[in-house]
Amino acid sequence: MCLLVPDISVGRGFATYVKSTGSNFYGTHKTYLHSFPDGRVVDANRYHIDALPEFIKYIHEKWIPENAEKYFKARDPLALDYLPKLLGTRGELIQ
């Protein structure tokens, strides 16, 4: 089974998004050491579960339209075939 998980840039992007939008979750996160299967250990932010809808909004409205093409082109070019199905003809995420 292949599991594709977003990389560190998604978390960093969300942290920037939370700050730039004036979110109530800005500054409320805790940090923890996150271990990757390849042995890397990084500091990561952990937000309250109530931030999940805001994270989903960030993924749908910012990350996919602005970063998904570059991200998948480098990591999984076959996934590029599915982006138009997600984004529609004007680059807007299909709900």
Side-chain angles (χ1 to χ4, degrees), residues 7-21 45 47 54-55 58-59 62-63 66-67:
D7 64 14
I8 296 167
S9 66
V10 174
R12 288 182 179 156
F14 181 63
T16 300
Y17 173 82
V18 167
K19 181 178 180 180
S20 69
T21 60
N45 292 344
Y47 292 88
E54 199 161 330
F55 178 75
Y58 163 73
I59 292 296
K62 298 290 282 178
W63 191 88
E66 296 176 11
N67 301 295

Side-chain angles (χ1 to χ4, degrees), residues 1 12 15-18 22 27 29 31-32 35 40 54-56 59 62 66 71 76 81 83 85-86 89 94-95:
M1 179 169 133
R12 288 182 179 156
T16 300
Y17 173 82
V18 167
H29 67 276
T31 57
Y32 73 101
S35 300
R40 289 176 298 143
E54 199 161 330
F55 178 75
I56 292 168
I59 292 296
K62 298 290 282 178
E66 296 176 11
Y71 180 87
D76 186 4
D81 293 339
L83 283 180
K85 294 175 178 124
L86 279 174
T89 57
I94 297 172
Q95 302 288 324

